[in-house]
Amino acid sequence: MTLRFLHASDLHIGRKFANIPQPADGNIRGRLMEARHGAIARLAQVAKDKDAAHILLAGDTFDTATPSPAVVRQALAAMGEAEGVTWWLLPGNHDNLRDAEPLWDSIRETAPANVKAVTEAAPTALDDHATLLPCPVAYRAGGSDPTEAMVGMGSPEGHLRIGLAHGGVTDFTESGEVIAPDRDRSARLDYLALGDWHGRMAVSPRVHYPGSPEQDRFKHGSRGVCLCVSLTAPGVPPEVEEVETGQFLWTEIPLPLHPRQDAAAALAAALPATGRRDVLVRVIASGWAGLADRAQ
Ligand SMILES: [Mn+2]
């Protein structure tokens, strides 16, 4: 009996991208915002393709504690359209329980039947063979390990134990919480689904960050992914497959320059040959240029 689910995090729906220059003749900020909403449908498609019955969202589904009602309504509607899939939404630091109380109230009241808000740190049956152990972020900077409660959470004999949490395992966290990297062992987990880090990272065979399914910074250099996780029996290591979900590629391109070079031609040659409309490039120019070269 295989349990298959998708693990994603940090959708940051509603993010406005005010730091991205908006060209006079384009709407890149709007397109980036739309791509984050679009991640919902792309995840739903992956779930369908992979025959996964559940999608675990490990926090920061929404970018702020107070997304506009339209952003929330449209996101929930898109999740509702995914037939045969149940979405499990965990509060992260951006949409934590305290700051985003009205948001979680409205999700519980208005969400379609296949969208579950996991706002309590209590074991929840995922199906007849698996128990979800969620640890929602209570407030923005808790300063303690948000997964500690998992150790004491019970589950029926023979059930798979799947942890769901949001926070850092090392100093990359901005929120102050640090998760014990061996939590899978101390809480007897078959899988620990984490969010917070926006790049893909495997902490250990059972502990994973999928990163954001739609990238939002230049640091990772590849399109966003989600994880397709298969579990067969308690104690058996999971099978974890990365599935690309990102629309935009955020990438850095080095551009070494020297005097009397045609810089414009060098730039044109360094840019990607195809698919440019969905690529954000940060050009890192370096080297030497005389005054005339600079002007050019
Ligand atoms: Mn985040």
Side-chain angles (χ1 to χ4, degrees):
M1 179 96 197
T2 300
L3 171 71
R4 185 165 301 134
F5 59 89
L6 301 189
H7 168 200
S9 78
D10 297 276
L11 274 63
H12 285 268
I13 294 165
R15 188 158 173 206
K16 293 194 166 77
F17 293 96
N19 58 327
I20 299 295
Q22 179 88 311
D25 60 348
N27 180 25
I28 186 62
R29 287 181 193 157
R31 293 192 62 226
L32 290 170
M33 241 183 124
E34 186 58 24
R36 305 205 82 72
H37 173 80
I40 297 171
R42 292 195 293 280
L43 288 169
Q45 186 60 47
V46 175
K48 195 174 170 192
D49 294 346
K50 300 286 179 186
D51 203 17
H54 302 274
I55 300 179
L56 309 187
L57 299 184
D60 290 359
T61 301
F62 295 99
D63 187 53
T64 68
T66 53
S68 80
V71 162
V72 178
R73 196 165 56 236
Q74 290 167 19
L76 295 177
M79 291 177 192
E81 285 166 23
E83 262 175 60
V85 173
T86 303
W87 302 74
W88 301 84
L89 276 58
L90 183 86
N93 59 315
H94 282 253
D95 49 11
N96 67 80
L97 279 174
R98 187 170 68 182
D99 297 336
E101 201 183 340
L103 168 67
W104 291 104
D105 286 346
S106 97
I107 292 174
R108 273 191 304 261
E109 285 159 20
T110 66
N114 67 332
V115 176
K116 314 280 185 197
V118 270
T119 52
E120 272 174 59
T124 309
L126 206 57
D127 64 15
D128 294 343
H129 309 275
T131 299
L132 186 67
L133 312 174
C135 289
V137 175
Y139 44 95
R140 194 165 184 115
S144 61
D145 183 339
T147 64
E148 236 167 66
M150 281 177 198
V151 177
M153 287 187 194
S155 56
E157 185 66 34
H159 263 218
L160 294 160
R161 289 168 61 84
I162 300 159
L164 180 63
H166 186 92
V169 285
T170 55
D171 57 2
F172 62 66
T173 180
E174 290 166 18
S175 53
E177 296 96 358
V178 175
I179 293 167
D182 64 346
R183 184 59 75 211
D184 58 318
R185 276 165 280 160
S186 57
R188 308 170 315 283
L189 303 176
D190 293 292
Y191 187 82
L192 176 52
L194 294 177
D196 192 27
W197 182 231
H198 287 201
R200 160 82 179 113
M201 186 168 81
V203 178
S204 68
R206 287 189 172 87
V207 182
H208 293 266
Y209 289 92
S212 177
E214 182 63 40
Q215 282 302 320
D216 57 6
R217 54 196 74 178
F218 290 102
K219 134 183 196 192
H220 306 297
S222 56
R223 281 190 166 82
V225 301
C226 70
L227 300 179
C228 178
V229 182
S230 304
L231 292 168
T232 51
V236 179
E239 202 180 285
V240 180
E241 182 194 356
E242 295 176 14
V243 184
E244 190 175 281
T245 47
Q247 178 187 340
F248 282 92
L249 173 67
W250 297 56
T251 186
E252 281 185 348
I253 293 183
L255 184 66
L257 296 170
H258 55 80
R260 287 176 301 282
Q261 177 186 18
D262 184 342
L267 173 61
L271 293 175
T274 59
R276 288 187 184 178
R277 193 164 186 272
D278 292 339
V279 180
L280 271 79
V281 170
R282 181 153 70 189
V283 177
I284 311 290
S286 62
W288 283 89
L291 261 183
D293 300 319
R294 274 189 81 123
Q296 218 183 3

